[in-house]
Amino acid sequence: MTGEIIIEGKPFSFERLPWNYNEIPDTAYSQDLAKECLFLVKKLLDDRGIPFMLMHGTLLGAYRDGNFIPHDNDLDLGIFEVDDERMKSIIPDMYDAGIKLCRYHYGIIYSFIYKGLICDIDVIQKAKFPYGFRYVRVLTELVPKKLLSDVASHDFLGASFLIPNRVEDFLAYEYGKDWRVPRKGRSAKISPLWMKPFKFVKRAFSFIRRKLHLRPERNTMEE
């Protein structure tokens, strides 16, 4: 499938891949490949002055283990909403470096593929009213502002990377209080507990609407 993104007023076409990793047969992951990709992305973003943070499983491995998690399947990074347009502007440069855009959802996430490895770059953005007073939005979830408002430097694989200043609180919010215990198959759960009933009702309502053909099926993570 071919996707299109507007960069500085001009259309840029890319080969779009499914959002479900299981539908990408050539997805590859190794710690060496992850390091190669991470340092390539770091150079490109550093050269343009775009700050980024390690996020999710990449952050967990870097902070807890000092390396990538062996059973992980992608790289996870994050930028702030203020840098979204600059991030978009370097996509052609990333493409020239072999890091190709493969999935994109406006203002929420960029996904790139490098030698079969997926690199996701989340856009940390202001949550909508009334949640914006206390939360920011990461993907489709809410995260307390205090956990992502400040950053700190962390040495990882011989280089300095930005991480959330309250990194342990953030990891506990994502993975639970036992985040220090390695567990294969663990995934982030970045949603406040009080939101879960509302999300369940919303998903159930959407499911009923689709079954009654009141709304067509669609992939909510694609434009």
Side-chain angles (χ1 to χ4, degrees), residues 12-14 44 90-101:
F12 182 89
S13 298
F14 62 94
L44 288 163
I90 71 166
I91 288 175
D93 295 334
M94 297 182 75
Y95 192 94
D96 290 341
I99 306 170
K100 300 180 180 181
L101 184 69

Side-chain angles (χ1 to χ4, degrees), residues 6-216:
I6 303 300
I7 301 177
E8 297 179 344
K10 299 179 180 179
F12 182 89
S13 298
F14 62 94
E15 183 181 351
R16 188 168 61 190
L17 296 179
W19 286 98
N20 187 343
Y21 289 143
N22 295 328
E23 297 179 35
I24 307 175
D26 59 345
T27 296
Y29 186 89
S30 73
Q31 291 179 328
D32 289 340
L33 181 58
K35 179 179 179 180
E36 182 181 335
C37 182
L38 176 61
F39 276 75
L40 272 175
V41 173
K42 174 177 171 58
K43 184 181 187 309
L44 288 163
L45 269 63
D46 285 352
D47 286 348
R48 290 295 187 94
I50 302 174
F52 69 94
M53 285 192 293
L54 304 181
M55 294 285 285
H56 313 311
T58 302
L59 174 64
L60 178 63
Y63 187 78
R64 185 189 64 193
D65 307 325
N67 205 340
F68 299 102
I69 298 173
H71 55 263
D72 206 347
N73 61 2
D74 65 350
L75 280 177
D76 295 300
L77 308 175
I79 62 170
F80 289 100
E81 187 174 17
V82 67
D83 296 307
D84 187 27
E85 286 302 314
R86 286 199 295 165
M87 177 70 231
K88 194 181 298 183
S89 72
I90 71 166
I91 288 175
D93 295 334
M94 297 182 75
Y95 192 94
D96 290 341
I99 306 170
K100 300 180 180 181
L101 184 69
C102 62
R103 302 178 301 196
Y104 169 70
H105 187 53
Y106 179 77
I108 294 178
I109 185 174
Y110 299 83
S111 288
F112 298 89
I113 188 165
Y114 177 74
K115 297 182 180 179
L117 170 70
I118 297 294
C119 174
D120 289 329
I121 301 181
D122 302 335
V123 180
I124 303 165
Q125 57 182 187
K126 182 178 179 181
K128 294 181 180 179
F129 179 85
Y131 310 118
F133 292 108
R134 292 188 57 192
Y135 294 91
V136 292
R137 181 182 176 184
V138 179
L139 299 177
T140 58
E141 308 292 349
L142 297 177
V143 178
K145 279 184 178 180
K146 61 184 180 181
L147 299 185
L148 290 174
S149 58
D150 296 314
V151 297
S153 296
H154 181 73
D155 184 74
F156 180 48
L157 302 177
S160 180
F161 290 89
L162 296 180
I163 63 172
N165 187 48
R166 297 180 59 171
V167 59
E168 295 192 1
D169 292 333
F170 178 66
L171 289 174
Y173 185 79
E174 280 203 297
Y175 295 100
K177 294 181 180 180
D178 63 341
W179 60 268
R180 292 178 178 83
V181 180
R183 186 181 306 162
K184 188 173 183 179
R186 169 181 293 187
S187 58
K189 298 179 180 180
I190 48 176
S191 182
L193 291 176
W194 61 266
M195 282 286 293
K196 293 188 183 298
F198 296 97
K199 291 181 69 175
F200 175 79
V201 172
K202 181 179 179 181
R203 288 172 180 169
F205 183 64
S206 296
F207 176 79
I208 292 171
R209 290 181 65 188
R210 288 196 301 270
K211 291 301 181 183
L212 294 177
H213 305 291
L214 298 177
R215 186 179 67 181

